[in-house]
């Protein structure tokens, strides 16, 4: 159980902000711990609104990870990097990331369990061991997976601080104007079509940067960079500005080209600082279109 001692300089700071500064627990993990009484100040549980007064003893009770409910399956993995702490995987199109409704087996998690055995972080829950961030089933590309809770928490914290670079290649309908820009629009569940996400006033903050790479007749090739990681973010944002991704029938992209029959979107660049060694790591996948 980690124990901290607040200082005079911390007076007035909220407990969740104080603990998040340490970078070893993600904000979502901290929120769950605080809500469940897992953070004790001078021996008493507190909520996230608690403000420090200085000189407190702060104990964080991190529960043991639950065993995975998913089962190992012999599914090939394209591993670009692996050490004792994490993996970088090039996920193929059509592979679901974790078990869920309609996909109880045959997922990336099942493949990771087969490859890593019990050597995966448990913070993601029983169906998502090791999963730091996700890609849609039909979005191929680079993903991170964590082998232990320290690495998982550190990577999640780096994502929240926008210290992990995630770049995507996409083919969009038409040509974005201006040729580069920032799309900052909140994303939430569509008010009537529950399988879709949408730009909605009460959605979660979302920011995507784009730049035009090549222009063709009726469509163009663009690079998108994620500052946040909302469900279907690039697909929703590009449709929102009138340039949906080709092949994305859910968001109005119509048919793909060159035989591509799902959304033409690929996570092709990934860069981050290794949370244990401090090494700067950069990966680039071969572009599919």
């Amino acid at each position: 159980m980690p124990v901290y001692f607040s200082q005079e300089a911390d007076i007035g700071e909220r407990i969740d902000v104080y603990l998040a500064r340490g970078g070893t627990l993600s904000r979502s993990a901290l929120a769950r711990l605080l809500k469940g009484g897992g953070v004790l100040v001078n021996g008493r549980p507190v909520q996230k609104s608690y403000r420090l007064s200085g000189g407190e003893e702060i104990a964080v009770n991190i529960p043991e990870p639950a065993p995975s409910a998913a089962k190992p399956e012999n599914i090939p993995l394209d591993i670009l990097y692996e050490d004792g702490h994490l993996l970088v995987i090039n996920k193929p199109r059509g592979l679901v990331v974790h078990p869920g409704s309609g996909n109880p087996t045959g997922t990336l998690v099942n493949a990771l369990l087969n490859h890593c055995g019990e050597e995966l972080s448990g913070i993601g829950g029983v169906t998502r061991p090791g999963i730091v961030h996700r890609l849609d089933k039909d979005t191929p590309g680079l993903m991170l997976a964590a082998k232990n809770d320290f690495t998982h928490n550190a990577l999640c914290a780096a994502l929240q601080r926008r210290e992990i670079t995630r770049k995507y290649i996409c083919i969009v309908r038409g040509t974005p104007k201006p040729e580069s820009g920032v799309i900052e629009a909140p994303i939430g569940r569509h008010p009537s079509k529950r399988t879709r996400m949408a730009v909605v006033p009460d959605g979660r903050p979302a920011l995507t940067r784009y730049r035009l790479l090549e222009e063709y007749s009726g469509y163009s090739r663009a690079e998108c960079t994620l500052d946040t990681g909302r469900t279907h973010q690039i697909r929703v944002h590009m449709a929102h500005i009138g340039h949906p991704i080709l092949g994305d029938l859910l968001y109005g992209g119509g048919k793909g080209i060159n035989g591509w029959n799902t959304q033409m979107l690929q996570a092709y660049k990934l860069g981050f600082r290794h949370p244990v060694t401090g090494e700067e790591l950069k990966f680039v996948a071969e572009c599919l279109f």
Side-chain angles (χ1 to χ4, degrees), residues 170-174 216-221 235 238 243-249 251-258 260-265 289:
C170 59
I171 307 294
V172 301
R173 189 167 300 284
Y216 306 99
S217 178
Y219 63 94
S220 53
R221 188 169 183 256
R235 299 165 64 190
M238 295 310 290
H243 300 285
I245 293 169
L246 290 189
D248 188 356
L249 299 180
Y251 294 104
K255 294 182 179 180
I257 56 173
N258 300 329
W260 197 271
N261 57 10
T262 60
Q263 67 257 15
M264 301 187 73
L265 176 68
F289 36 79

Side-chain angles (χ1 to χ4, degrees), residues 17 31 93 106 108 117 158 160 198 229 240 266 272:
V17 176
R93 177 176 65 148
L108 176 61
Q160 291 173 345
H240 179 65
Q266 177 191 8
F272 62 97

Side-chain angles (χ1 to χ4, degrees), residues 13-286:
E13 190 166 40
R14 277 179 33 154
I15 186 71
D16 57 342
V17 176
Y18 170 84
L19 291 172
R21 274 196 288 115
T24 56
L25 282 174
S26 68
R27 290 200 177 185
S28 58
L30 279 170
R32 289 194 297 270
L33 283 176
L34 284 158
K35 188 175 181 179
V39 177
L40 307 179
V41 175
N42 295 332
R44 295 178 179 273
V46 297
Q47 296 301 305
K48 65 180 182 180
S49 58
Y50 178 86
R51 292 188 180 274
L52 298 170
S53 57
E56 296 110 320
E57 179 186 86
I58 304 163
V60 182
N61 183 19
I62 302 174
E64 289 294 321
S68 173
K71 304 299 181 186
E73 295 180 46
N74 188 14
I75 300 170
L77 285 172
D78 183 5
I79 299 172
L80 276 62
Y81 176 89
E82 180 178 12
D83 62 18
H85 309 284
L86 57 86
L87 305 94
V88 175
I89 301 145
N90 191 16
K91 185 188 85 69
R93 177 176 65 148
L95 182 64
V96 176
V97 169
H98 59 77
S101 178
N103 297 283
T105 60
T107 71
L108 176 61
V109 161
N110 299 105
L112 285 170
L113 287 169
N114 182 70
H115 178 77
C116 299
E118 296 299 318
E119 195 181 20
L120 282 174
S121 70
I123 289 173
V126 295
T127 60
R128 305 180 189 183
I131 300 300
V132 175
H133 61 110
R134 292 175 288 173
L135 292 176
D136 297 340
K137 172 185 175 182
D138 291 319
T139 300
L142 304 181
M143 286 186 61
L144 276 165
K147 290 188 173 183
N148 55 69
D149 290 354
F150 173 86
T151 301
H152 194 143
N153 278 320
L155 290 172
C156 285
L159 276 172
Q160 291 173 345
R161 294 192 300 266
R162 301 181 181 181
E163 294 174 354
I164 295 181
T165 301
R166 292 173 291 167
K167 293 183 181 292
Y168 293 67
I169 286 288
C170 59
I171 307 294
V172 301
R173 189 167 300 284
T175 302
K177 300 293 183 184
E179 293 187 355
S180 63
V182 176
I183 309 167
E184 190 168 9
I187 292 177
R189 188 68 59 183
H190 193 286
S192 59
K193 300 174 182 177
R194 305 308 292 173
T195 60
R196 295 178 53 177
M197 307 301 286
V199 171
V200 292
D202 59 345
R204 300 178 68 189
L207 192 151
T208 303
R209 305 177 191 274
Y210 75 87
R211 67 183 181 98
L212 181 68
L213 298 178
E214 295 177 86
E215 183 179 355
Y216 306 99
S217 178
Y219 63 94
S220 53
R221 188 169 183 256
E223 179 188 78
C224 291
T225 302
L226 285 180
D227 272 31
T228 53
R230 309 305 175 209
T231 301
H232 298 177
Q233 179 172 318
I234 293 175
R235 299 165 64 190
V236 171
H237 271 173
M238 295 310 290
H240 179 65
I241 65 169
H243 300 285
I245 293 169
L246 290 189
D248 188 356
L249 299 180
L250 191 62
Y251 294 104
K255 294 182 179 180
I257 56 173
N258 300 329
W260 197 271
N261 57 10
T262 60
Q263 67 257 15
M264 301 187 73
L265 176 68
Q266 177 191 8
Y268 87 115
K269 283 187 178 181
L270 180 67
F272 62 97
R273 181 185 293 274
H274 195 293
V276 177
T277 67
E279 182 183 1
E280 290 287 349
L281 298 173
K282 295 180 180 180
F283 301 90
V284 180
E286 181 181 356

